[in-house]
Amino acid sequence: MSLLTVWSDADATTPLIQTPDPEVIGRELAGVGVSYRRFDTRDDVPLDAGQEEVLAAYSDLVGGLVAEHGYTLIDVAQLHLSEESPDSVKETAAVARLKFLSEHTHDEEEIRFFSHGSGVFYLHIGDRVLGMLCTAGDLLSVPALTTHWFDMGTMPDFTAIRFFRTDDGWVGTFTGSDIAERFPTHDELAEVASHA
Ligand SMILES: [Fe+2]
């Protein structure tokens, strides 16, 4: 289940808001300029499907977003780890997790559609941090230059379609802040969501 948690950026222990309600989530995110939409997912796409197969399965959604927003580059990012995964795969995933786990910005918006699994976007906007645990069916658009970080968890399991306008739109500019270390992780928020 998706879950939005909002904190003061000075207090990571006391949520100001915590909700799984899609309507409240959409309203809160829209209030800070972040677009959040829900789409149906398909249950006929195998976990080992490659990029072409995933994009073909979601061609209507992708085509609609391209027509609406003019994205020029679409790809699929996915990791499916389990306890049984080989250590080498776990090490690769740990490196991938660290890459965007510190606060950063991008010169273009960051758009992700989760067709499977989960990941948390932490948006640091004004004096608040909005932690959005995205799950299958969520489309999130983080505006250009928004300070944020992303946690895929210690056992990454997700398939995300990514939309870009330029070849290097995903390059991160890191702020050098250690704020991300103070906030609950993907694993902790996923645990909360499982009881919500
Ligand atoms: Fe990012």
Side-chain angles (χ1 to χ4, degrees), residues 93-137:
V95 171
R97 180 187 182 213
L98 277 181
K99 191 169 179 192
F100 290 112
L101 194 53
S102 300
E103 189 182 68
H104 63 277
T105 62
H106 306 282
D107 288 341
E108 75 169 72
E109 68 178 318
E110 182 167 350
I111 311 104
R112 300 285 180 272
F113 172 71
F114 287 82
S115 62
H116 169 85
S118 66
V120 182
F121 278 94
Y122 300 81
L123 313 165
H124 187 191
I125 300 175
D127 59 1
R128 300 194 305 167
V129 171
L130 298 90
M132 183 60 211
L133 171 69
C134 292
T135 60

Side-chain angles (χ1 to χ4, degrees), residues 16-173:
L16 305 171
I17 301 168
Q18 189 159 58
T19 180
D21 184 329
E23 275 187 34
V24 179
I25 291 173
R27 197 163 60 232
E28 288 295 326
L29 292 177
V32 292
V34 173
S35 167
Y36 171 73
R37 291 161 73 181
R38 293 273 311 158
F39 291 88
D40 291 335
T41 54
R42 298 179 54 139
D43 53 14
D44 58 350
V45 185
L47 266 193
D48 62 356
Q51 171 163 295
E52 295 310 318
E53 195 176 345
V54 173
L55 291 179
Y58 288 94
S59 59
D60 287 353
L61 183 153
V62 170
L65 289 169
V66 167
E68 200 176 330
H69 299 283
Y71 303 124
T72 54
L73 200 65
I74 294 105
D75 71 6
V76 176
Q78 57 181 332
L79 282 170
H80 305 292
L81 260 74
S82 69
E83 294 291 352
E84 290 74 39
S85 298
D87 284 348
S88 60
V89 174
K90 287 179 179 167
E91 282 161 25
T92 303
V95 171
R97 180 187 182 213
L98 277 181
K99 191 169 179 192
F100 290 112
L101 194 53
S102 300
E103 189 182 68
H104 63 277
T105 62
H106 306 282
D107 288 341
E108 75 169 72
E109 68 178 318
E110 182 167 350
I111 311 104
R112 300 285 180 272
F113 172 71
F114 287 82
S115 62
H116 169 85
S118 66
V120 182
F121 278 94
Y122 300 81
L123 313 165
H124 187 191
I125 300 175
D127 59 1
R128 300 194 305 167
V129 171
L130 298 90
M132 183 60 211
L133 171 69
C134 292
T135 60
D138 285 353
L139 174 79
L140 193 75
S141 171
V142 179
L145 304 178
T146 302
T147 45
H148 68 280
W149 65 95
F150 178 75
D151 188 5
M152 59 180 74
T154 55
M155 200 66 70
D157 179 27
F158 67 91
T159 302
I161 300 176
R162 313 190 296 181
F163 300 81
F164 303 93
R165 288 199 175 84
T166 56
D167 287 356
D168 59 356
W170 54 270
V171 172
T173 303

